[in-house]
Amino acid sequence: MKWWVKWGITYTLAHLPGGRILHHKMVRSFGELAHLESSTRFANTEILLEMAQRQCGTIEGKIVAELGTGWLPAVPLGFFLAGARLQTFDVVRLAADEIFAKTRDILASRTAEISRASGVPEETIRARLQQIAAADSLAAACEILDGRYHAPYDTTSLPFDSGEVDLVVSNLVLQCIPNDALPAVLAESWRILKAGGVALHRIRMSDEYAADASDRNHLEYLKYPDRTWDRWFNHSLKHINRLRASQFLELFEQAGFRLIECRRHTDFDSIPFLKQLELAPQFRNLEWDDLATVGIDVVLQKEA
Ligand SMILES: C[S@@+](CC[C@H](N)C(=O)[O-])C[C@H]1O[C@@H](n2cnc3c(N)ncnc32)[C@H](O)[C@@H]1O
C-alpha cells in the first residue's frame, strides 16, 4: 500500500466521530493482527526474555512492570510463562479478548523457544499455559498468574512502592510517548525499581507509515519540522516522537539510569538518502549514524 493511503485513512479516522472503533476493526481485519502467526511480536518477546534472563539470572518470581501492553499481549504472557509476577500498563485498552486467545494459542506452539529464551523448563511453561487455558481475557489470565492488566492507565504514576520492582520492560513503546511526557514516565520507572534493578526497552525509530511502502524511505519523516509533524501525523490514534538514539540515551541518563548495554540497528544504506534530504532544524546537528539508527535495545540500571 502507498504510504500516503495508510496515512490518509488513519488521519481521517482519528478525526471522525467513532473513528477509533473503525480503526480497531481495520487493524484487526487487515493489519498485522489479521496474520498473528507471522507477527514479529513473538520473536520480540523471546529477545526480551533472553535479555531479562541474562540480567536477572532467573525471571521466576521477579516483580515486573510492563509499559505499553498494546494489541497483542505476547510480551506480558511470555513473562508470565517464565514465572514473572507482572503488571502491564497502557494508556489505551487495546488487548481484545479474541486477540488474547489467539496469542495464547501461538505461544503454546512456541514453548521450546520460550524455554530456550527464559531458561525455564518447557514442562513448567506448559503447566502455566494449562492454568490460563480457560481464561477468556488478558485481564483474567493476569489475575490467575498473580498479575494485573491496567488500561487505560497513567504510566507517570504507577501503583508500586518506591523500590518494589525488579524489572521494567517495554517493546516498541518509548517512541510512541510524547516528548513532554517521556521524562516523567522514565522518572516513574526509576522510582519503582529496586536499587540494582533493570529496565529493558526495545525502541523502534523509523516511520511506521513507510513500513512495507516502496514509495517512501523510512527515514524521510526527519524532514518535517515538529509543528508540521505534530499537525499532520500525531493524533489520538498514533503518536511518534521521532527522537533519535542519542536523544533517548540522554533522557535515560537524566532520569538517573546507568546504561549497561545498547544494541543498535543502524540502516547505513539510508545515509546517502539522508545526506540529500533537507532535514528539519532539530536533526541537523546530529551525526549521520545517529540519524540512521532505526532501533535500539537498551539495558538500563538503577544503581545500587
Ligand atoms: C507500537 S505499540 C507496542 C505495543 C506492545 N508493546 C507490542 O509490543 O505490541 C505502542 C503502545 O504504547 C502505548 N503507549 C503510548 N504511550 C504510552 C504511555 N505513556 N505509557 C504506556 N504506554 C503507552 C500505546 O497505547 C501502544 O499500545
Side-chain angles (χ1 to χ4, degrees):
M1 190 190 283
K2 302 259 186 220
W3 78 269
W4 51 268
V5 175
K6 215 192 291 182
W7 166 78
I9 295 172
T10 318
Y11 181 87
T12 308
L13 292 178
H15 296 88
L16 269 185
R20 178 174 286 277
I21 297 168
L22 264 176
H23 181 248
H24 286 197
K25 281 201 175 132
M26 269 186 47
V27 174
R28 285 190 222 160
S29 311
F30 307 110
E32 190 179 355
L33 297 183
H35 313 282
L36 279 194
E37 22 346 290
S38 49
S39 168
T40 53
R41 298 307 202 263
F42 298 97
N44 294 171
T45 301
E46 286 145 22
I47 293 173
L48 278 168
L49 286 171
E50 253 171 49
M51 290 167 81
Q53 194 202 170
R54 216 164 351 103
Q55 296 305 321
C56 303
T58 175
I59 301 164
E60 200 75 55
K62 292 286 185 286
I63 301 180
V64 180
E66 190 207 9
L67 306 179
T69 321
W71 304 88
L72 192 169
V75 172
L77 289 176
F79 274 79
F80 277 131
L81 297 180
R85 289 162 59 203
L86 174 140
Q87 302 205 30
T88 181
F89 302 86
D90 203 318
V91 288
V92 192
R93 200 170 186 91
L94 296 171
D97 298 350
E98 81 272 13
I99 305 283
F100 153 74
K102 284 188 194 155
T103 305
R104 177 188 51 199
D105 294 348
I106 295 171
L107 288 171
S109 69
R110 297 180 71 112
T111 51
E113 288 88 340
I114 297 168
S115 167
R116 220 176 0 257
S118 63
V120 174
E122 218 178 326
E123 312 82 76
T124 311
I125 293 167
R126 284 208 209 96
R128 290 194 178 118
L129 274 165
Q130 200 49 44
Q131 275 181 274
I132 57 166
D136 57 3
S137 65
L138 175 62
C142 288
E143 300 276 327
I144 293 168
L145 294 171
D146 203 10
R148 194 145 174 218
Y149 175 33
H150 303 262
Y153 207 91
D154 171 10
T155 47
T156 63
S157 176
L158 296 170
F160 295 103
D161 290 337
S162 299
E164 190 183 344
V165 166
D166 295 292
L167 196 61
V168 171
V169 297
S170 79
N171 187 50
L172 315 181
V173 171
L174 298 195
Q175 78 275 4
C176 299
I177 300 182
N179 286 347
D180 52 358
L182 196 48
V185 173
L186 295 175
E188 182 64 352
S189 357
W190 190 90
R191 181 191 70 78
I192 63 172
L193 273 174
K194 288 181 178 158
V198 290
L200 312 175
H201 299 294
R202 302 192 63 252
I203 309 170
R204 181 161 67 197
M205 291 169 291
S206 60
D207 181 2
E208 291 182 21
Y209 293 113
D212 311 319
S214 53
D215 57 338
R216 183 156 160 110
N217 182 291
H218 61 166
L219 290 169
E220 188 171 338
Y221 74 159
L222 300 180
K223 71 182 180 186
Y224 303 106
D226 274 342
R227 225 155 48 111
T228 313
W229 180 253
D230 286 338
R231 167 69 184 86
W232 294 104
F233 294 90
N234 281 337
H235 45 63
S236 61
L237 294 180
K238 196 180 268 299
H239 189 105
I240 300 293
N241 58 34
R242 299 189 300 160
L243 290 172
R244 311 321 296 160
S246 61
Q247 298 168 320
F248 275 112
L249 298 183
E250 210 173 306
L251 286 172
F252 298 147
E253 195 182 331
Q254 282 165 9
F257 287 105
R258 186 166 76 92
L259 180 69
I260 301 208
E261 192 180 303
C262 177
R263 273 191 237 156
R264 285 172 184 265
H265 311 276
T266 304
D267 176 11
F268 291 104
D269 292 343
S270 285
I271 292 181
F273 169 81
L274 285 171
K275 286 186 174 173
Q276 55 78 48
L277 188 72
E278 191 173 345
L279 291 165
Q282 72 266 34
F283 299 118
R284 285 184 198 153
N285 60 354
L286 299 179
E287 303 282 339
W288 296 116
D289 286 13
D290 192 19
L291 291 167
T293 296
V294 290
I296 50 174
D297 297 352
V298 293
V299 180
L300 309 171
Q301 188 172 44
K302 174 173 176 174
E303 290 196 79

